[in-house]
Amino acid sequence: MRLSPTILVIPTGIGCDIGGFAGDGIPVAKLLASASGCLITHPNVMNGGSLSDIDERIFYVEGYSLDKFAKGEIGLKRVNQQKIGIIFDCGIEKDLLVRHLQVADACIATLGINIDSYVMTEESMNVVIENQLPGISGGYIKNPSTLIKAGEKLIKRGITAIAVVSKFPEEKNINELDLYREGKGIDPIAGAEAIISHLISKFFKIPCAHAPALDPIQIKEDLDPRAAAEEIGYTFLPSVLRGLSKAPDLVDLSNSCERITLSAQEVEFVVVPSGALGGEAVLACMERDINVIAVKNKCILNVDNKKINYPNILEVDNYFEAAGILLCAR
């Protein structure tokens, strides 16, 4: 059976019923990878706090780089293993830093992941959570230069993939956090996380993913299972390191003759929530007449095909139907 390379996008921080929580998009990714034989998706789908899964058919590509891939600017190259470096925000308290270093040690000893070294930022990154639009997660960092300087140190050591762990402020809107934990709201820190990983990807053009450093929160009994993966450990770093360990190299197609495993020209489908058709990767695929499968996956956005009016679109009720289309295509 031939491959049908497919991009799966579930945007960060818009409260998707599936993929808007802690690794709850992983079963969907595995289903579509099985159906298509080759899936390209981003950390928001695959990261699950203390839990994750690896599938050789899935390319783990940070969101900014996924946009570049969809535009045909970079290609993906499989690797046996990435050489990972970790950037820690110097604002992380000592005990919490030790917990994260223990995660790195555990991943080396238990999973055989190649984590070469880590650096501390010279100054605090000063992450700000700022959700200006109702129902959409947002934020920024006040000191991006210290993050870039830390990345430069790792690049000089021959690092090929970067994990970032930044100190996040205490959640001021407890009601918003409780709604998320109950499965009724958005991930309040997702937007700021995306800014951090986008910045590293843009400057260094290597695989990257982010894990927040948060103080433990009070136990909650009426927890939604979709949020539970973030509650069972001290850090969210394990899934990031596991995802980055096999993340593909990003090859600039404008000035490289390097052989690649996959190019955007080979992609046949992009799967996306039906209300979130306005993202860069999806629009780039539309420009090249790639088939879009729009899945009913409720979110705060309402950018549907009535607004886009794209002819090559298949609207389905769930991801099982999307998988069926991919199987038929193969």
Side-chain angles (χ1 to χ4, degrees):
M1 187 180 292
R2 73 181 186 87
L3 299 181
S4 181
T6 300
I7 293 174
L8 169 63
V9 176
I10 305 179
T12 301
I14 61 170
C16 288
D17 275 352
I18 299 174
F21 294 87
D24 61 306
I26 293 175
V28 166
K30 292 176 66 179
L31 171 68
L32 298 184
S34 176
S36 65
C38 178
L39 188 75
I40 309 97
T41 194
H42 50 112
N44 181 60
V45 174
M46 299 303 297
N47 288 353
S50 298
L51 302 175
S52 63
D53 203 355
I54 293 292
D55 189 313
E56 294 294 332
R57 297 165 296 191
I58 298 177
F59 289 84
Y60 180 95
V61 183
E62 195 276 333
Y64 176 86
S65 298
L66 181 59
D67 291 343
K68 301 276 283 184
F69 171 76
K71 294 174 184 177
E73 297 175 9
I74 64 172
L76 306 179
K77 182 180 179 182
R78 288 195 187 277
V79 298
N80 290 327
Q81 194 172 48
Q82 294 288 358
K83 183 179 180 181
I84 300 173
I86 308 174
I87 297 174
F88 288 111
D89 190 339
C90 71
I92 300 173
E93 294 87 349
K94 181 180 178 181
D95 287 354
L96 194 53
L97 176 62
V98 170
R99 291 295 188 188
H100 283 84
L101 292 173
Q102 288 171 341
V103 167
D105 285 341
C107 286
I108 293 169
T110 306
L111 303 177
I113 295 175
N114 182 10
I115 304 169
D116 180 81
S117 58
Y118 73 90
V119 296
M120 305 292 299
T121 60
E122 295 177 1
E123 304 172 62
S124 176
M125 290 167 53
N126 289 325
V127 177
V128 176
I129 300 173
E130 189 175 69
N131 301 332
Q132 294 181 336
L133 298 175
I136 297 180
S137 178
Y140 61 94
I141 55 175
K142 291 183 178 180
N143 196 359
S145 61
T146 195
L147 176 61
I148 298 303
K149 288 178 182 178
E152 289 171 345
K153 292 178 183 178
L154 290 177
I155 295 297
K156 289 178 180 178
R157 298 178 189 178
I159 290 301
T160 61
I162 292 178
V164 182
V165 183
S166 54
K167 174 61 179 175
F168 268 63
E170 290 299 310
E171 179 56 52
K172 295 179 181 178
N173 191 337
I174 300 300
N175 182 57
E176 186 178 68
L177 178 60
D178 282 344
L179 285 174
Y180 170 71
R181 296 172 79 193
E182 293 168 10
K184 302 172 185 175
I186 63 165
D187 183 347
I189 67 172
E193 287 195 89
I195 294 295
I196 294 166
S197 60
H198 288 4
L199 189 62
I200 291 292
S201 295
K202 181 176 181 179
F203 270 82
F204 301 113
K205 299 176 176 59
I206 63 174
C208 174
H210 176 268
L214 297 168
D215 294 326
I217 54 180
Q218 187 174 0
I219 193 167
K220 187 176 182 63
E221 293 187 10
D222 56 338
L223 191 72
D224 190 287
R226 294 172 296 174
E230 293 180 340
E231 307 271 341
I232 60 175
Y234 294 101
T235 86
F236 307 130
L237 187 56
S239 61
V240 166
L241 294 175
R242 197 167 187 198
L244 287 176
S245 67
K246 296 282 189 178
D249 280 343
L250 312 174
V251 180
D252 186 347
L253 298 180
S254 64
N255 57 8
S256 175
C257 296
E258 188 175 354
R259 295 182 63 182
I260 61 174
T261 306
L262 187 65
S263 71
Q265 283 67 37
E266 298 172 75
V267 173
E268 296 186 359
F269 291 90
V270 56
V271 182
V272 62
S274 57
L277 299 181
E280 278 194 65
V282 177
L283 292 176
C285 289
M286 289 179 178
E287 286 181 2
R288 294 190 291 106
D289 295 324
I290 291 174
N291 298 305
V292 174
I293 303 176
V295 182
K296 290 182 181 178
N297 182 2
K298 185 180 177 182
C299 65
I300 195 66
L301 298 182
N302 188 28
V303 185
D304 58 19
N305 202 41
K306 292 180 181 178
K307 297 178 174 64
I308 301 293
N309 196 27
Y310 182 62
N312 299 333
I313 193 164
L314 297 163
E315 299 183 88
V316 298
D317 288 333
N318 52 61
Y319 287 101
F320 291 108
E321 291 182 11
I325 292 171
L326 297 178
L327 279 170
C328 289
R330 292 181 71 183

